[in-house]
Amino acid sequence: MSVTPPTGRAARATAQEPYAYDGWSHGLDALQRQDPEIADLLFGEARRQADGLQLIAAENFTSPAVLAALGSPLANKYAEGYPGARHHGGCELVDLAERTAVDRAKALFGAEHANVQPHSGSSAMLAAYAALLRPGDTVLAMDLRHGGHLTHGSPANFSGRWYDFAGYGVRRDTGLIDYDRVQALAREHRPAAIVCGSISYPRHPDYAAFREIADDVGAHLIADAAHPIGLVAGGAAPNPVPYADVVCATTHKVLRGPRGGMILCREELAGRIDRAVFPFTQGGAQMHSVAAKAVAFGEAATPAFAAYAHQVVANARALAAVLAAEGLSVTTGGTDTHLITADVSGLALEAATARGRLAAAGIVLDVCGLPHEAAHGLRLGTAAVTTQGMREPEMARIGMLVGAALRGAGRDGGLRGEVARLAGSFPVYAPYPGHM
Ligand SMILES: *Cc1c(COP(=O)(O)O)cnc(C)c1O
């Protein structure tokens, strides 16, 4: 498929702006020479990401600086333990990288302690539970049908196997968390921990209310801020750190860092959290990823990132309004975050069919459960397209393209070119010679 040459970048971005990415592919010459099969796959995937509209709420485009740290010789280093207390020699420099990542995370989120070693958001949750709970303890978390994550008690996950979960949900009339019900369930089940956080809730959790309910029953409060932590970094969402005993997060969603996890907590829990990560649930830290997290935290502390985070929310609100005008039923009537969930049954469509029609047009998003409904809905987010430099006018176009694709206009591939042109006008990475 041919790609329209980029046009929007020179007109819209300057080298100083964070989405004017460049040169992610330095160093790939060697890969191309040695293993063209895998190299072609990498370039094909880069082209796929560049040609379509990436609306998966959990995805983003990380910077070439982060990618450079990930592809560096730090990947060679074994570093079990923590800075100054490693089980391996030669850790002087990676110790500095980890200390920098920890210091930057603490400063960015106002946390007393940070652990930047979890390999993923799920690993962070595993360690948080291991630090605070014993197997068989009761945990109150968001019901999976209402937006809870696998680690919030799914029977297919360690959490559902090793702990006894009770689930709270959202109100049928408003789509908002029912705090009276959370309190009633807490008093009924006396959980050892309460988890707030979700994969699809488009509003901010009321962290103060959760804290009060947790205190009322003597439970720990774990905030699973995997999605909003990037908005928190940019000052575009409330910070759970002052309220929760432990905050778990990912570094690769709105935060725009490398794929990985992080835990923030108060000093008094620092030892338990650190031991729960290593040696209890993980071995050697991935120092290339730890260094890349430091780079991402450095980027996230800039005014440009704060502007980005606020634009992500503005874009999500604009897109939600256009999707509603296109006949989708937007959960809670809109969003306060990067994330939108919508019911497409008003268009007489199943969510899976809707996702297929959108995919055929080059618009990539997820299907998710809808609270109180048997049918599934669509979940999308604006973190990636905002990194590309798109703003409200582009959200209006995306909303109309989504509407057209859902009505079947793209079934003959008719929308594919228009989507590629729009996406191609906002490139994040410079093309690699001979590719894209
Ligand atoms: C993404 C997410 C996770 C897990 O992150 P992984 O890195 O995929 O393990 C955990 N909890 C919530 C709420 C999430 O959105």
Side-chain angles (χ1 to χ4, degrees), residues 281-308:
T281 58
Q282 290 190 176
Q286 304 199 353
M287 297 317 298
H288 56 306
S289 182
V290 166
K293 288 172 189 175
V295 173
F297 298 147
E299 292 175 359
T302 61
F305 189 88
Y308 163 73

Side-chain angles (χ1 to χ4, degrees), residues 331-345:
T331 312
T332 77
T335 181
D336 294 328
T337 66
H338 62 299
L339 192 150
I340 301 162
T341 58
D343 189 352
V344 289
S345 56

Side-chain angles (χ1 to χ4, degrees), residues 120-123 125 149 151-152 197-199 224 226-227 250 252-253 260:
S120 69
S122 297
S123 308
M125 290 297 289
H149 183 254
T151 55
H152 302 174
S198 164
I199 60 168
D224 183 357
H227 268 282
T250 60
H252 52 272
K253 296 182 182 176

